[in-house]
Amino acid sequence: MFDIKKMIEEITEKKEIKNISFTGVGGSLACYYAANYYLQREAKHLTTSFVSSNEFVHDTPACVTENSIVVIASRGGNTKETVEAGRVAKKLGATVVGLTHEEGINGISTVSDYTIVFEDGEGIPFEVGKSAYIMKIAYELLYKLEKNDKYEAMVQAMAKMNDIIPKAQKDIIPEAIQFSINYKDDHVIYTLGSGTAWSAAQQQTICIFMEMQWINAAVIHSGEFFHGPFEITDPDTAFLLLKSSGKTKALDERAIQFLSQYNHHLTVIDPEKYGLNELNEVSGYFDYDFHTAMLSVFNKLLADMRNHPLSKRKYMWKYNY
């Protein structure tokens, strides 16, 4: 397991850190949202930015300087936009921390001062996954710089997630089966969420429904639902709502109440039914991770039910783009 605390100690001994910026694309960008959200709610002085890689390259945030940590990630290690973002960050004097699933020399390791090789797959502890390492970077850095009072709760929550996730993935199978049956013929699905669960909803929309299942889809923030999007509601409109366990839960419950009156095609994944409330005051910071893990069960069953493998592509990796 990579020692995040030691890395933070080394970085902060060498320079004064005033900013941490996260840049990536697709699922790697989504992985940063919870950590960025945590820092925006908890940090009093440390600044953050959260930017898609190619935007970072062409319109780099002014907060990125020699006093920054820039976190980049690419599962295969060679996502060209993200590697280039790392080069831009290095030119500005930032310390670059890269995450990849592939060991050895690749684009990420070449442009990074520190390279973290994360794990994934069945049976792997939660805390050695990509998003877990990213959250560890966030809370270890904030504690080092500001002695944030949520630190111990975050450390304990990280450890508890190792048990909560695999148990919940087994317990949620009946819901996932029902979802695959009820949604297999839908041509449009709207995904809702708030807090850090919003990022899981966004990732589900662009990476799964659109990329891997070729289903037209849109993500809607639960807080924005009543400011335009709810007008598309009819009894058969397909909705998937990823409920928050944190402070924004009230936003989701308002949407659920409305949809329960005017819609009959709603699935709600509620993390509190599966133990996330054990994380107490910091549970909301782990909603993204919980929902992403549960949706991995949902998506495999949906793909099987639709006879559309998650690996199937029309354009990705086949053409220059």
Side-chain angles (χ1 to χ4, degrees):
M1 185 184 301
F2 191 92
D3 192 336
I4 298 295
K5 180 180 286 190
K6 180 180 178 182
M7 180 187 76
I8 294 299
E9 290 283 350
E10 290 181 4
I11 293 171
T12 53
E13 283 177 5
K14 294 175 185 176
K15 59 171 69 174
E16 181 183 8
I17 297 298
K18 299 179 179 180
N19 164 265
I20 181 167
S21 292
F22 304 96
T23 184
V25 296
S28 291
L29 182 64
C31 275
Y32 299 136
Y33 189 80
N36 188 65
Y37 188 99
Y38 164 77
L39 291 170
Q40 286 186 334
R41 271 47 177 192
E42 299 291 341
K44 295 179 173 61
H45 305 290
L46 183 70
T47 64
T48 68
S49 72
F50 169 86
V51 185
S52 184
S53 295
N54 217 17
E55 187 169 319
F56 185 97
V57 170
H58 292 279
D59 192 11
T60 312
C63 60
V64 178
T65 69
E66 67 275 8
N67 300 113
S68 295
I69 295 172
V70 174
V71 185
I72 62 175
S74 166
R75 191 182 193 285
N78 292 305
T79 304
K80 60 182 179 180
E81 299 95 334
T82 303
V83 173
E84 185 60 27
R87 290 195 186 99
V88 170
K90 290 283 283 184
K91 288 178 182 177
L92 293 170
T95 299
V96 177
V97 176
L99 294 98
T100 178
H101 184 261
E102 303 300 323
E103 296 187 25
I105 298 173
N106 54 40
I108 291 293
S109 64
T110 300
V111 299
S112 298
D113 296 290
Y114 296 87
T115 302
I116 301 168
V117 178
F118 63 85
E119 300 180 48
D120 60 18
E122 294 185 12
I124 300 300
F126 167 76
E127 63 182 320
V128 296
K130 178 167 58 173
S131 61
Y133 275 130
I134 292 165
M135 184 61 86
K136 286 181 183 181
I137 292 169
Y139 68 64
E140 290 290 354
L141 179 64
L142 189 60
Y143 185 69
K144 177 66 179 178
L145 298 181
E146 300 186 15
K147 295 293 184 279
N148 177 259
D149 62 6
K150 301 284 197 315
Y151 176 74
E152 290 299 333
M154 293 296 286
V155 172
Q156 291 171 16
M158 182 67 67
K160 288 181 180 179
M161 287 287 279
N162 290 324
D163 296 321
I164 290 172
I165 291 296
K167 183 178 186 304
Q169 285 181 317
K170 293 178 182 177
D171 292 346
I172 208 168
I173 288 173
E175 286 192 45
I177 292 171
Q178 194 61 56
F179 176 86
S180 69
I181 295 169
N182 292 347
Y183 287 71
K184 64 182 177 64
D185 296 321
D186 286 305
H187 299 293
V188 180
I189 302 175
Y190 297 101
T191 317
L192 287 83
S194 68
T196 69
W198 177 87
S199 186
Q202 192 260 358
Q203 178 176 275
Q204 176 70 14
T205 298
I206 68 168
C207 294
I208 305 299
F209 289 147
M210 299 176 77
E211 176 190 334
M212 299 186 188
Q213 289 296 289
W214 306 352
I215 297 171
N216 289 312
V219 61
I220 305 167
H221 191 284
S222 299
E224 291 295 299
F225 183 60
F226 296 101
H227 303 279
F230 75 145
E231 285 293 340
I232 55 88
T233 303
D234 63 33
D236 298 318
T237 307
F239 290 101
L240 170 64
L241 189 147
L242 309 182
K243 192 175 180 181
S244 171
S245 67
K247 294 179 179 179
T248 66
K249 179 168 58 175
L251 283 65
D252 302 321
E253 290 176 339
R254 183 185 177 197
I256 292 168
Q257 184 177 10
F258 174 85
L259 290 169
S260 296
Q261 288 181 273
Y262 301 103
N263 175 263
H264 306 296
H265 197 11
L266 167 67
T267 292
V268 177
I269 302 179
D270 184 350
E272 292 188 353
K273 288 173 57 179
Y274 297 98
L276 207 66
N277 54 333
E278 293 178 22
L279 307 188
N280 299 315
E281 63 176 337
V282 299
S283 67
Y285 295 134
F286 291 87
D287 282 334
Y288 164 82
D289 298 295
F290 175 86
H291 283 297
T292 299
M294 296 310 104
L295 286 167
S296 69
V297 180
F298 278 59
N299 294 332
K300 289 174 185 175
L301 290 167
L302 180 64
D304 288 345
M305 188 63 68
R306 298 182 72 245
N307 194 29
H308 187 120
L310 294 170
S311 59
K312 189 175 182 180
R313 302 291 188 278
K314 283 188 289 187
Y315 307 108
M316 188 172 284
W317 309 310
K318 295 184 177 181
Y319 300 94
N320 292 323
Y321 49 86

